[in-house]
Amino acid sequence: MKPGKVMLLALRDIAIGVALFLVVSRVGFWGLFLFSSGDVLRQNLLALVMATVMLGALILSPLIPIGFIINSTVRMVQYSDELQQRIFLYAIGFAAAATGLLTFAYGLLEFNGYPPLGMLNIISFMFILLFASLLYFKWRFR
Amino acid sequence: MKTIEIMVRSARDIVLGLLAYVIVLVGSGSFLLQHPMGALPSALILISPVIPVAFVLRSIVQLLRHSDELEQRIQLLAVSFSFASTIVLGYTYELIQPFTGVPLSSAFILPLMVVLWLVGLFYFKRRYQ
């Protein structure tokens, strides 16, 4: 298969994986709320066991699309050309290092009573950094 | 300078940086316990361990730049794996956090990333053997 086609397929798989992840995690989240507020659980043991099993399945269900996303990302990186790989290595290395460093610094402040940052903010920050560093390194390697 | 010399120097800098990090972390914590002060100075003292961490990261980048093509490819796969897994694991924890009741501190993101990076490195090195 041509590298271009592999890249397109990987991008498609990533998009499907992200959509699945968002849907499954939201459904799981509301399912957890429904289960945790059910009175039936306190009345019989079988219902309690069933609910515990389903709770476990609901909590772990977003991990399935996660596997697809990680697999597609790794495949996309594997099939890109040398220059693109180099640019991506520098960009993702910079984004990962900067995120780690800055969140770590803020985490030390959190221990001293500062408000928690929240994972969604950290994820957005990671993507912004990745995008900005990709633009920078693409411009540098022109 | 020869590649091997740069690699040895980077490895030495990483070890020294980590040592400095532990010393500054313990030192700043115990200093603040003994001398309580205002919000801004204590915040500055609390984030001071970041300085040696920055040196460690710089040394890691230097080590990466001077590694060969195969090593760079393995690193790329490992870092991508770590980046993606950190995002999804963090988000999953955020979803179940109302039930655990324990918020994920931002300070755990860096150790999580490093552990996942090492796992990725181990896996991809074995795969390319």
Side-chain angles (χ1 to χ4, degrees), chain B residues 30-31 37 40 58-59 62 64 73 83 92-94 97 99 102 108 110-111 127 129:
Chain B
S30 46
F31 181 78
M37 48 184 76
L40 185 65
R58 202 193 67 163
S59 307
Q62 223 166 29
L64 278 181
R73 193 179 174 81
F83 196 82
T92 308
Y93 189 80
E94 187 85 356
Q97 192 234 305
F99 301 95
V102 185
F108 291 112
L110 183 63
R127 215 175 129 182
Q129 250 173 6

Side-chain angles (χ1 to χ4, degrees), chain A residues 21 25-26 78 85 104 110, chain B residues 21 69 73 91 95 106:
Chain A
F21 176 68
S25 56
R26 287 290 144 190
Q78 267 178 333
Q85 281 189 6
F104 186 74
E110 272 179 18
Chain B
Y21 164 71
E69 294 256 320
R73 193 179 174 81
Y91 185 63
L95 281 173
S106 309

Side-chain angles (χ1 to χ4, degrees), chain A residues 35 45 70-71 85 134-135 138:
Chain A
F35 273 122
L45 186 67
I70 293 174
N71 187 32
Q85 281 189 6
L134 263 177
L135 280 180
K138 277 205 169 182

